[in-house]
Amino acid sequence: MEDLVAGLLAGKVRSLAKAITIVENDLPGKREILQSVYPKTGRAYLLGITGPPGAGKSTLTDKIIAHLRAAGKSVGVIAVDPSSPFSGGAILGDRIRMQQHALDDGVFIRSMATRSHLGGLAKNTVDVIHLFDAAGKDVIIIETVGVGQDEVDIVRIAQTTVVVMVPGLGDSVQISKAGVMEIADLFAVNKADRDGADKLVNELRAMLEMVKAEVKPEIFRTVATDGVGITELVEGIFAHGKRVEESGLVAEKRSLQAENELKAYIYDMIMERITGLDSYRAVVRQVAAKELTPMSGVEQLFTGLGMAKEEENAEED
Amino acid sequence: MSKKIKVLIAKPGLDGHDRGAKVVSRALRDAGMEVIYTGIRQTPEQIVATAIQEDVDSIGLSCLSGAHNKLFPKVVDLLREKGADDVLVFGGGIIPDEDIPGLKQAGIAAIFLPGASTEETIEFIRQNVKSV
């Protein structure tokens, strides 16, 4: 693993690719890799691209990459696509729109399948972000799966989130619904050459009028396939990034991200420990037979883990 | 939990007939594999760079324009150059029988011609990918 991590930190493509495989698939060596890599993270700028299926996220990402490269930034891309709930397989078809960058050493694109994880991302996306970060990528673009209304994981991870929308997917009531509409730092109305683009922009503006915030998300019109509006969008992204850094919000966001990551590990580790207890199956049986309520069952298991609540310990004194 | 098999389906050269590649991609997906499809008009260099970034277990090359004798071995050579020769390479498309021995010699592990079943391809990949 040491060689792999050394190679990754030195910017070797194959090392990074292999490390991602280990981390993504929870293979042996994952813990070692992440422990070594974590102290070297925190430099990269995280940009989220989200929106409904077919909105043009990948095509837009392709154009954004070109602009970032022209500005001298190295880019890592995580492109997420859904896994089949039936076969568990997936077709990862985002990078097909980004292949102009396949031979650019400054761009590393990795496709990930959701593998039934909900929320718009894959379960180990954050771990993969850490690897890209440690490997020295200036900007990491995370393109979520085509999301519906409430897959908002991305907002807890990215410093700037762009919500890509297309004309014709609903009316003003639709726009007012909670979820994805609330997480945008910028809106990109893509396929803006189509009927309904003006209407969508107006409805967005009307919705944003009711938002109580000092700075409201800007709305950009783009035609990603033709490269129209991309310069303005990228400028808007940089401007948002600058505001975030200057406002001190970065520290707050980092703290939230760290806590979310910690919680995810807490959940996984406790679940593993508890279900590994000898008493676990017995408790399951007792709960099924109504001899124990689920809550009492958990309390018993916690005692088994040496994690009884503090008041109970105090009583024993 | 065993690792999912990751396959790159790629069309090298200028051939635009992609139905076969899409059918195979779909079949592999339905067999539980994760398939990266990079579309038409890829150079061998692009294909190999993609395969390495995505750390795929296998590459399926599709060519119906007759350029397979040049392009398929080129992919294998580039993989070797980059130290990625544990990737299983197979191919399909319009390939004359007499070309197959040469392709196998060059390192393409199998050729699936029109009429081959997707089950054959799936089984071949399962049996022959380098296990973790």
Side-chain angles (χ1 to χ4, degrees):
Chain A
M1 289 307 135
E2 271 169 30
D3 289 338
L4 202 61
V5 173
L8 184 164
L9 294 173
K12 291 201 180 133
V13 173
R14 207 148 151 70
S15 303
L16 178 53
K18 292 276 176 202
I20 293 176
T21 301
I22 291 173
V23 154
E24 179 191 21
N25 292 288
D26 297 320
L27 294 172
K30 172 172 177 168
R31 188 177 181 278
E32 211 185 313
I33 293 174
L34 287 176
Q35 293 280 84
S36 311
V37 147
Y38 198 81
K40 307 217 187 303
T41 61
R43 213 189 118 262
Y45 195 83
L46 307 182
L47 171 63
I49 310 282
T50 190
K57 297 184 289 299
S58 299
T59 309
L60 208 54
T61 301
D62 173 57
K63 301 295 188 289
I64 292 173
I65 295 170
H67 278 253
L68 290 172
R69 291 299 291 140
K73 309 236 182 247
S74 63
V75 185
V77 182
I78 300 173
V80 188
D81 264 327
S83 296
S84 164
F86 305 108
S87 72
I91 292 197
L92 306 175
D94 286 339
R95 77 174 295 153
I96 188 176
R97 322 278 179 203
M98 308 179 205
Q99 282 300 85
Q100 65 161 313
H101 304 287
L103 295 178
D104 182 350
D105 280 337
V107 181
F108 190 118
I109 300 169
R110 183 75 175 221
S111 311
M112 288 182 80
T114 54
R115 298 185 184 168
S116 328
H117 186 84
L118 301 174
L121 298 172
K123 173 171 145 311
N124 293 325
T125 302
V126 174
D127 295 330
V128 176
I129 290 173
H130 289 323
L131 296 181
F132 271 144
D133 197 343
K137 303 299 170 205
D138 297 317
V139 180
I140 302 171
I141 302 178
I142 305 113
E143 189 199 319
T144 74
V145 101
V147 298
Q149 296 171 302
D150 71 347
E151 290 106 316
V152 296
D153 273 1
I154 185 68
V155 74
R156 298 190 186 97
I157 292 170
Q159 277 138 280
T160 300
T161 298
V162 177
V163 173
V164 185
M165 305 191 61
V166 279
L169 286 188
D171 61 5
S172 53
V173 174
Q174 190 63 29
I175 289 190
S176 304
K177 292 186 186 175
V180 164
M181 296 306 301
E182 294 175 280
I183 68 171
D185 294 308
L186 291 86
F187 283 105
V189 173
N190 195 34
K191 309 195 191 183
D193 51 346
R194 296 212 179 158
D195 268 350
D198 286 339
K199 189 155 178 284
L200 178 54
V201 171
N202 287 334
E203 276 167 1
L204 278 171
R205 285 202 185 117
M207 186 253 312
L208 290 174
E209 245 158 58
M210 291 190 268
V211 167
K212 290 183 177 31
E214 246 179 63
V215 187
K216 301 191 187 184
E218 261 188 276
I219 303 168
F220 296 88
R221 290 173 199 251
T222 56
V223 182
T225 44
D226 296 336
V228 172
I230 311 294
T231 310
E232 291 83 351
L233 175 65
V234 174
E235 276 167 14
I237 292 170
F238 281 149
H240 180 264
K242 200 153 170 270
R243 272 202 303 278
V244 163
E245 269 168 31
E246 285 168 0
S247 70
L249 274 177
V250 182
E252 195 186 308
K253 197 121 203 205
R254 290 238 162 93
S255 179
L256 270 169
Q257 285 163 1
E259 196 176 350
N260 278 325
E261 218 178 328
L262 200 57
K263 281 183 177 170
Y265 275 111
I266 291 171
Y267 177 85
D268 280 346
M269 284 178 164
I270 291 198
M271 188 58 84
E272 208 184 307
R273 293 266 213 100
I274 287 203
T275 54
L277 285 173
D278 288 335
S279 48
Y280 177 68
R281 287 252 69 96
V283 169
V284 172
R285 249 177 279 122
Q286 287 176 289
V287 170
K290 308 279 183 195
E291 290 162 25
L292 270 181
T293 66
M295 271 194 281
S296 307
V298 174
E299 277 156 13
Q300 252 186 50
L301 289 167
F302 266 30
T303 312
L305 266 189
M307 284 172 65
K309 280 180 15 188
E310 277 172 7
E311 308 101 79
E312 288 163 14
N313 285 338
E315 269 171 17
E316 283 163 20
D317 283 350
Chain B
M1 187 185 70
S2 57
K3 182 177 125 12
K4 293 219 190 276
I5 297 175
K6 221 168 163 190
V7 184
L8 171 60
I9 298 292
K11 287 190 65 63
L14 298 173
D15 162 36
H17 299 88
D18 57 359
R19 186 155 310 203
K22 285 176 176 167
V23 164
V24 172
S25 298
R26 212 16 228 274
L28 297 186
R29 179 200 88 174
D30 292 342
M33 301 184 192
E34 288 175 352
V35 180
I36 294 156
Y37 177 58
T38 45
I40 60 174
R41 308 224 182 101
Q42 301 295 291
T43 64
E45 289 77 6
Q46 282 174 310
I47 291 169
V48 171
T50 300
I52 290 177
Q53 283 181 16
E54 300 283 358
D55 197 20
V56 300
D57 301 300
S58 178
I59 301 176
L61 299 170
S62 158
C63 186
L64 284 77
S65 67
H68 50 273
N69 282 330
K70 193 78 188 281
L71 296 174
F72 287 14
K74 181 85 178 149
V75 169
V76 175
D77 289 341
L78 284 171
L79 284 170
R80 275 199 197 120
E81 224 177 89
K82 307 268 176 191
D85 48 359
D86 53 351
V87 176
L88 178 73
V89 180
F90 63 94
I94 297 299
I95 294 164
D97 286 338
E98 57 258 33
D99 288 353
I100 295 180
L103 289 172
K104 289 206 170 153
Q105 183 118 52
I108 288 90
I111 296 287
F112 298 100
L113 295 178
S117 70
T118 48
E119 283 77 31
E120 259 180 80
T121 312
I122 290 164
E123 252 333 282
F124 178 81
I125 296 171
R126 283 201 179 126
Q127 298 297 333
N128 291 285
V129 283
K130 198 147 186 244
S131 46
V132 174

